Short mmCIF file of all heavy atoms in Angstrom, two decimals:
data_model
loop_
_atom_site.label_atom_id
_atom_site.label_comp_id
_atom_site.label_asym_id
_atom_site.label_seq_id
_atom_site.Cartn_x
_atom_site.Cartn_y
_atom_site.Cartn_z
N LYS A 1094 21.72 -17.71 5.50
CA LYS A 1094 21.59 -18.75 4.49
C LYS A 1094 20.16 -18.80 3.96
O LYS A 1094 19.22 -18.41 4.65
CB LYS A 1094 21.98 -20.10 5.08
CG LYS A 1094 23.43 -20.17 5.56
CD LYS A 1094 23.75 -21.53 6.18
CE LYS A 1094 25.20 -21.57 6.65
NZ LYS A 1094 25.53 -22.89 7.27
N VAL A 1095 20.02 -19.30 2.74
CA VAL A 1095 18.70 -19.34 2.11
C VAL A 1095 17.91 -20.53 2.62
O VAL A 1095 18.38 -21.67 2.60
CB VAL A 1095 18.83 -19.42 0.57
CG1 VAL A 1095 17.44 -19.54 -0.07
CG2 VAL A 1095 19.54 -18.18 0.04
N ASP A 1096 16.71 -20.27 3.10
CA ASP A 1096 15.76 -21.30 3.50
C ASP A 1096 14.55 -21.22 2.58
O ASP A 1096 14.13 -20.13 2.16
CB ASP A 1096 15.28 -21.09 4.94
CG ASP A 1096 16.15 -21.81 5.95
OD1 ASP A 1096 17.05 -22.56 5.52
OD2 ASP A 1096 15.95 -21.61 7.16
N SER A 1097 13.97 -22.36 2.27
CA SER A 1097 12.72 -22.41 1.50
C SER A 1097 11.59 -22.68 2.48
O SER A 1097 11.57 -23.73 3.13
CB SER A 1097 12.79 -23.50 0.43
OG SER A 1097 11.63 -23.49 -0.36
N VAL A 1098 10.67 -21.75 2.61
CA VAL A 1098 9.63 -21.83 3.64
C VAL A 1098 8.25 -21.84 3.00
O VAL A 1098 8.05 -21.37 1.87
CB VAL A 1098 9.75 -20.67 4.64
CG1 VAL A 1098 11.05 -20.76 5.41
CG2 VAL A 1098 9.63 -19.32 3.93
N THR A 1099 7.27 -22.37 3.74
CA THR A 1099 5.92 -22.53 3.22
C THR A 1099 4.90 -22.22 4.29
O THR A 1099 5.10 -22.55 5.46
CB THR A 1099 5.71 -23.98 2.72
OG1 THR A 1099 6.54 -24.21 1.59
CG2 THR A 1099 4.26 -24.23 2.32
N GLY A 1100 3.78 -21.60 3.90
CA GLY A 1100 2.67 -21.38 4.81
C GLY A 1100 2.00 -20.04 4.64
O GLY A 1100 2.52 -19.15 3.95
N THR A 1101 0.84 -19.91 5.26
CA THR A 1101 0.13 -18.62 5.21
C THR A 1101 0.93 -17.52 5.89
O THR A 1101 0.75 -16.34 5.59
CB THR A 1101 -1.25 -18.74 5.87
OG1 THR A 1101 -1.09 -19.18 7.23
CG2 THR A 1101 -2.14 -19.71 5.14
N SER A 1102 1.84 -17.91 6.80
CA SER A 1102 2.70 -16.92 7.45
C SER A 1102 3.49 -16.10 6.45
O SER A 1102 3.82 -14.93 6.70
CB SER A 1102 3.69 -17.61 8.40
OG SER A 1102 3.06 -18.10 9.55
N PHE A 1103 3.81 -16.71 5.31
CA PHE A 1103 4.64 -16.03 4.32
C PHE A 1103 3.82 -15.50 3.14
O PHE A 1103 4.33 -14.73 2.34
CB PHE A 1103 5.75 -16.98 3.87
CG PHE A 1103 6.53 -17.50 5.03
CD1 PHE A 1103 6.31 -18.80 5.51
CD2 PHE A 1103 7.42 -16.70 5.72
CE1 PHE A 1103 6.98 -19.27 6.62
CE2 PHE A 1103 8.10 -17.17 6.84
CZ PHE A 1103 7.88 -18.46 7.29
N ALA A 1104 2.56 -15.90 3.08
CA ALA A 1104 1.65 -15.31 2.09
C ALA A 1104 1.17 -13.95 2.57
O ALA A 1104 1.15 -12.97 1.82
CB ALA A 1104 0.47 -16.24 1.86
N ALA A 1105 0.80 -13.86 3.86
CA ALA A 1105 0.24 -12.62 4.40
C ALA A 1105 1.15 -11.41 4.20
O ALA A 1105 0.67 -10.34 3.78
CB ALA A 1105 -0.10 -12.81 5.88
N PRO A 1106 2.47 -11.50 4.48
CA PRO A 1106 3.31 -10.30 4.32
C PRO A 1106 3.43 -9.81 2.88
O PRO A 1106 3.76 -8.64 2.67
CB PRO A 1106 4.66 -10.73 4.89
CG PRO A 1106 4.65 -12.23 4.88
CD PRO A 1106 3.23 -12.62 5.11
N HIS A 1107 3.17 -10.67 1.90
CA HIS A 1107 3.10 -10.18 0.51
C HIS A 1107 1.99 -9.13 0.38
O HIS A 1107 2.14 -8.13 -0.33
CB HIS A 1107 2.81 -11.34 -0.46
CG HIS A 1107 3.98 -12.23 -0.73
ND1 HIS A 1107 4.36 -13.26 0.09
CD2 HIS A 1107 4.86 -12.25 -1.77
CE1 HIS A 1107 5.42 -13.88 -0.41
NE2 HIS A 1107 5.75 -13.28 -1.55
N VAL A 1108 0.88 -9.38 1.07
CA VAL A 1108 -0.26 -8.46 1.01
C VAL A 1108 0.03 -7.20 1.81
O VAL A 1108 -0.20 -6.08 1.34
CB VAL A 1108 -1.53 -9.16 1.52
CG1 VAL A 1108 -2.72 -8.21 1.43
CG2 VAL A 1108 -1.80 -10.44 0.73
N THR A 1109 0.54 -7.37 3.03
CA THR A 1109 0.83 -6.22 3.89
C THR A 1109 1.77 -5.24 3.21
O THR A 1109 1.53 -4.02 3.22
CB THR A 1109 1.46 -6.71 5.21
OG1 THR A 1109 0.62 -7.71 5.80
CG2 THR A 1109 1.65 -5.56 6.18
N ALA A 1110 2.84 -5.76 2.64
CA ALA A 1110 3.82 -4.88 2.00
C ALA A 1110 3.30 -4.28 0.69
O ALA A 1110 3.71 -3.17 0.32
CB ALA A 1110 5.12 -5.65 1.74
N SER A 1111 2.41 -4.97 0.02
CA SER A 1111 1.80 -4.39 -1.19
C SER A 1111 1.01 -3.13 -0.84
O SER A 1111 0.95 -2.18 -1.63
CB SER A 1111 0.90 -5.41 -1.88
OG SER A 1111 1.65 -6.48 -2.42
N VAL A 1112 0.39 -3.13 0.35
CA VAL A 1112 -0.31 -1.94 0.81
C VAL A 1112 0.66 -0.76 0.89
O VAL A 1112 0.31 0.37 0.53
CB VAL A 1112 -0.98 -2.19 2.17
CG1 VAL A 1112 -1.53 -0.89 2.76
CG2 VAL A 1112 -2.10 -3.21 2.03
N ALA A 1113 1.88 -1.00 1.35
CA ALA A 1113 2.87 0.08 1.45
C ALA A 1113 3.15 0.71 0.09
O ALA A 1113 3.29 1.93 -0.03
CB ALA A 1113 4.16 -0.45 2.08
N LEU A 1114 3.25 -0.11 -0.96
CA LEU A 1114 3.50 0.43 -2.30
C LEU A 1114 2.33 1.27 -2.78
O LEU A 1114 2.51 2.36 -3.33
CB LEU A 1114 3.76 -0.71 -3.28
CG LEU A 1114 4.93 -1.65 -2.96
CD1 LEU A 1114 5.14 -2.62 -4.11
CD2 LEU A 1114 6.21 -0.89 -2.66
N LEU A 1115 1.12 0.76 -2.57
CA LEU A 1115 -0.06 1.52 -2.98
C LEU A 1115 -0.16 2.83 -2.22
O LEU A 1115 -0.51 3.88 -2.78
CB LEU A 1115 -1.32 0.68 -2.76
CG LEU A 1115 -1.43 -0.62 -3.56
CD1 LEU A 1115 -2.70 -1.37 -3.16
CD2 LEU A 1115 -1.43 -0.36 -5.06
N GLN A 1116 0.15 2.79 -0.93
CA GLN A 1116 0.06 3.99 -0.13
C GLN A 1116 1.15 5.01 -0.49
O GLN A 1116 0.91 6.22 -0.43
CB GLN A 1116 0.14 3.63 1.35
CG GLN A 1116 -1.11 2.94 1.87
CD GLN A 1116 -2.32 3.85 1.78
OE1 GLN A 1116 -2.37 4.91 2.40
NE2 GLN A 1116 -3.32 3.44 1.01
N GLU A 1117 2.32 4.54 -0.88
CA GLU A 1117 3.34 5.46 -1.37
C GLU A 1117 2.83 6.18 -2.62
O GLU A 1117 2.99 7.40 -2.76
CB GLU A 1117 4.64 4.72 -1.69
CG GLU A 1117 5.73 5.66 -2.20
CD GLU A 1117 6.98 4.94 -2.69
OE1 GLU A 1117 7.01 3.69 -2.67
OE2 GLU A 1117 7.92 5.63 -3.12
N TYR A 1118 2.20 5.43 -3.51
CA TYR A 1118 1.65 6.05 -4.72
C TYR A 1118 0.55 7.04 -4.36
O TYR A 1118 0.51 8.16 -4.88
CB TYR A 1118 1.10 4.98 -5.67
CG TYR A 1118 0.44 5.57 -6.88
CD1 TYR A 1118 1.21 6.00 -7.96
CD2 TYR A 1118 -0.94 5.75 -6.94
CE1 TYR A 1118 0.62 6.58 -9.08
CE2 TYR A 1118 -1.54 6.33 -8.05
CZ TYR A 1118 -0.76 6.73 -9.12
OH TYR A 1118 -1.35 7.32 -10.21
N GLY A 1119 -0.35 6.64 -3.46
CA GLY A 1119 -1.44 7.53 -3.06
C GLY A 1119 -0.93 8.81 -2.44
O GLY A 1119 -1.42 9.92 -2.75
N ASP A 1120 0.06 8.71 -1.56
CA ASP A 1120 0.63 9.91 -0.93
C ASP A 1120 1.33 10.80 -1.96
O ASP A 1120 1.32 12.03 -1.85
CB ASP A 1120 1.60 9.52 0.18
CG ASP A 1120 0.89 9.07 1.45
OD1 ASP A 1120 -0.36 8.99 1.43
OD2 ASP A 1120 1.56 8.79 2.45
N ARG A 1121 1.92 10.18 -2.96
CA ARG A 1121 2.55 10.95 -4.05
C ARG A 1121 1.50 11.77 -4.79
O ARG A 1121 1.72 12.94 -5.11
CB ARG A 1121 3.25 9.97 -5.01
CG ARG A 1121 4.05 10.62 -6.11
CD ARG A 1121 4.57 9.55 -7.08
NE ARG A 1121 5.52 8.63 -6.45
CZ ARG A 1121 5.99 7.54 -7.05
NH1 ARG A 1121 5.57 7.22 -8.27
NH2 ARG A 1121 6.85 6.76 -6.43
N GLN A 1122 0.35 11.16 -5.04
CA GLN A 1122 -0.74 11.88 -5.71
C GLN A 1122 -1.27 13.01 -4.84
O GLN A 1122 -1.62 14.09 -5.34
CB GLN A 1122 -1.87 10.91 -6.06
CG GLN A 1122 -1.49 9.79 -7.00
CD GLN A 1122 -1.02 10.30 -8.35
OE1 GLN A 1122 0.17 10.54 -8.55
NE2 GLN A 1122 -1.96 10.47 -9.26
N LEU A 1123 -1.36 12.77 -3.54
CA LEU A 1123 -1.84 13.80 -2.62
C LEU A 1123 -0.88 14.99 -2.57
O LEU A 1123 -1.32 16.15 -2.58
CB LEU A 1123 -2.02 13.22 -1.22
CG LEU A 1123 -3.16 12.21 -1.04
CD1 LEU A 1123 -3.07 11.55 0.33
CD2 LEU A 1123 -4.51 12.88 -1.21
N ARG A 1124 0.40 14.71 -2.52
CA ARG A 1124 1.39 15.80 -2.49
C ARG A 1124 1.34 16.64 -3.76
O ARG A 1124 1.56 17.86 -3.74
CB ARG A 1124 2.80 15.24 -2.29
CG ARG A 1124 3.08 14.75 -0.88
CD ARG A 1124 4.56 14.51 -0.67
NE ARG A 1124 5.07 13.48 -1.56
CZ ARG A 1124 5.10 12.18 -1.27
NH1 ARG A 1124 4.60 11.76 -0.11
NH2 ARG A 1124 5.59 11.31 -2.13
N ALA A 1125 1.07 15.97 -4.88
CA ALA A 1125 0.99 16.68 -6.17
C ALA A 1125 -0.38 17.32 -6.37
O ALA A 1125 -0.61 17.98 -7.39
CB ALA A 1125 1.27 15.71 -7.31
N LYS A 1126 -1.27 17.16 -5.38
CA LYS A 1126 -2.62 17.73 -5.42
C LYS A 1126 -3.36 17.34 -6.70
O LYS A 1126 -4.01 18.15 -7.36
CB LYS A 1126 -2.57 19.24 -5.26
CG LYS A 1126 -1.99 19.68 -3.92
CD LYS A 1126 -1.99 21.20 -3.76
CE LYS A 1126 -1.43 21.58 -2.38
NZ LYS A 1126 -1.41 23.05 -2.19
N GLN A 1127 -3.25 16.06 -7.03
CA GLN A 1127 -3.94 15.53 -8.21
C GLN A 1127 -5.44 15.52 -7.98
O GLN A 1127 -5.91 15.31 -6.86
CB GLN A 1127 -3.45 14.12 -8.51
CG GLN A 1127 -2.01 14.02 -8.94
CD GLN A 1127 -1.77 14.61 -10.33
OE1 GLN A 1127 -2.68 14.68 -11.15
NE2 GLN A 1127 -0.55 15.05 -10.58
N SER A 1128 -6.18 15.77 -9.04
CA SER A 1128 -7.64 15.70 -8.95
C SER A 1128 -8.07 14.26 -8.69
O SER A 1128 -7.36 13.31 -9.03
CB SER A 1128 -8.28 16.21 -10.24
OG SER A 1128 -7.85 15.45 -11.36
N ASN A 1129 -9.22 14.10 -8.09
CA ASN A 1129 -9.77 12.78 -7.74
C ASN A 1129 -8.91 12.02 -6.75
O ASN A 1129 -8.90 10.79 -6.73
CB ASN A 1129 -10.00 11.93 -9.00
CG ASN A 1129 -11.02 12.56 -9.93
OD1 ASN A 1129 -10.65 13.14 -10.95
ND2 ASN A 1129 -12.29 12.48 -9.57
N TRP A 1130 -8.20 12.79 -5.89
CA TRP A 1130 -7.46 12.17 -4.80
C TRP A 1130 -7.73 12.92 -3.52
O TRP A 1130 -7.76 14.15 -3.50
CB TRP A 1130 -5.95 12.14 -5.08
CG TRP A 1130 -5.60 11.07 -6.05
CD1 TRP A 1130 -5.57 11.18 -7.40
CD2 TRP A 1130 -5.31 9.71 -5.74
NE1 TRP A 1130 -5.27 9.96 -7.96
CE2 TRP A 1130 -5.09 9.05 -6.97
CE3 TRP A 1130 -5.18 8.99 -4.56
CZ2 TRP A 1130 -4.77 7.70 -7.04
CZ3 TRP A 1130 -4.86 7.65 -4.62
CH2 TRP A 1130 -4.66 7.01 -5.85
N SER A 1131 -7.94 12.18 -2.45
CA SER A 1131 -8.16 12.77 -1.14
C SER A 1131 -7.56 11.85 -0.08
O SER A 1131 -7.07 10.76 -0.40
CB SER A 1131 -9.66 12.97 -0.87
OG SER A 1131 -10.27 11.71 -0.55
N LEU A 1132 -7.63 12.27 1.17
CA LEU A 1132 -7.13 11.44 2.26
C LEU A 1132 -7.90 10.14 2.39
O LEU A 1132 -7.48 9.23 3.11
CB LEU A 1132 -7.16 12.21 3.58
CG LEU A 1132 -6.14 13.34 3.71
CD1 LEU A 1132 -6.37 14.11 5.01
CD2 LEU A 1132 -4.72 12.81 3.66
N ASP A 1133 -9.04 10.03 1.71
CA ASP A 1133 -9.77 8.76 1.68
C ASP A 1133 -8.92 7.63 1.11
O ASP A 1133 -9.19 6.45 1.37
CB ASP A 1133 -11.06 8.89 0.86
CG ASP A 1133 -12.10 9.76 1.55
OD1 ASP A 1133 -12.00 9.95 2.77
OD2 ASP A 1133 -13.01 10.23 0.85
N SER A 1134 -7.89 7.98 0.32
CA SER A 1134 -7.01 6.95 -0.25
C SER A 1134 -6.27 6.18 0.82
O SER A 1134 -5.75 5.09 0.55
CB SER A 1134 -6.01 7.59 -1.22
OG SER A 1134 -5.15 8.49 -0.53
N ARG A 1135 -6.21 6.71 2.04
CA ARG A 1135 -5.52 6.03 3.13
C ARG A 1135 -6.43 5.11 3.93
O ARG A 1135 -5.96 4.39 4.81
CB ARG A 1135 -4.90 7.08 4.08
CG ARG A 1135 -3.83 7.93 3.42
CD ARG A 1135 -3.29 8.97 4.39
NE ARG A 1135 -2.21 9.75 3.79
CZ ARG A 1135 -1.60 10.78 4.39
NH1 ARG A 1135 -1.97 11.12 5.62
NH2 ARG A 1135 -0.64 11.44 3.77
N ARG A 1136 -7.71 5.14 3.66
CA ARG A 1136 -8.66 4.36 4.45
C ARG A 1136 -8.42 2.85 4.31
O ARG A 1136 -8.17 2.35 3.21
CB ARG A 1136 -10.09 4.66 4.02
CG ARG A 1136 -10.57 6.08 4.29
CD ARG A 1136 -10.67 6.40 5.75
NE ARG A 1136 -11.40 5.39 6.52
CZ ARG A 1136 -11.61 5.48 7.83
NH1 ARG A 1136 -11.13 6.51 8.52
NH2 ARG A 1136 -12.29 4.53 8.47
N HIS A 1137 -8.54 2.14 5.44
CA HIS A 1137 -8.33 0.69 5.40
C HIS A 1137 -9.41 -0.01 4.57
O HIS A 1137 -9.14 -1.00 3.89
CB HIS A 1137 -8.30 0.12 6.81
CG HIS A 1137 -9.58 0.24 7.56
ND1 HIS A 1137 -9.99 1.40 8.20
CD2 HIS A 1137 -10.59 -0.65 7.78
CE1 HIS A 1137 -11.16 1.22 8.77
NE2 HIS A 1137 -11.55 -0.03 8.54
N GLU A 1138 -10.64 0.53 4.58
CA GLU A 1138 -11.70 -0.07 3.76
C GLU A 1138 -11.38 0.04 2.27
O GLU A 1138 -11.68 -0.86 1.49
CB GLU A 1138 -13.05 0.59 4.03
CG GLU A 1138 -13.52 0.54 5.48
CD GLU A 1138 -13.25 1.84 6.21
OE1 GLU A 1138 -12.17 2.44 5.97
OE2 GLU A 1138 -14.11 2.27 7.00
N VAL A 1139 -10.76 1.17 1.88
CA VAL A 1139 -10.37 1.36 0.47
C VAL A 1139 -9.32 0.34 0.07
O VAL A 1139 -9.41 -0.29 -0.99
CB VAL A 1139 -9.88 2.80 0.23
CG1 VAL A 1139 -9.24 2.94 -1.16
CG2 VAL A 1139 -11.03 3.79 0.38
N MET A 1140 -8.31 0.16 0.92
CA MET A 1140 -7.28 -0.83 0.62
C MET A 1140 -7.88 -2.22 0.48
O MET A 1140 -7.51 -3.01 -0.41
CB MET A 1140 -6.20 -0.82 1.69
CG MET A 1140 -5.23 0.33 1.61
SD MET A 1140 -4.17 0.28 0.13
CE MET A 1140 -5.11 1.27 -1.02
#
């Protein structure tokens, strides 16, 4: 059933999962050997 919830508990996973989308894109660029892309794209500091 649908619940309406509130709190930082539910804000944080928006950020965590957004990292997954960015990393999918970065890995796609790495596989295609695009210029200006390296494994540095996976660094936590970069994210």
Side-chain angles (χ1 to χ4, degrees):
K1094 298 178 180 179
V1095 177
D1096 270 354
S1097 184
V1098 295
T1099 293
T1101 57
S1102 288
F1103 306 103
H1107 284 83
V1108 181
T1109 307
S1111 292
V1112 171
L1114 302 186
L1115 298 177
Q1116 289 296 299
E1117 180 188 1
Y1118 176 81
D1120 283 4
R1121 185 186 295 173
Q1122 299 298 90
L1123 291 171
R1124 286 193 298 271
K1126 298 182 179 180
Q1127 293 290 335
S1128 59
N1129 297 103
W1130 283 89
S1131 76
L1132 289 175
D1133 290 341
S1134 64
R1135 296 178 177 176
R1136 295 294 310 180
H1137 65 280
E1138 302 100 321
V1139 170
M1140 283 294 92

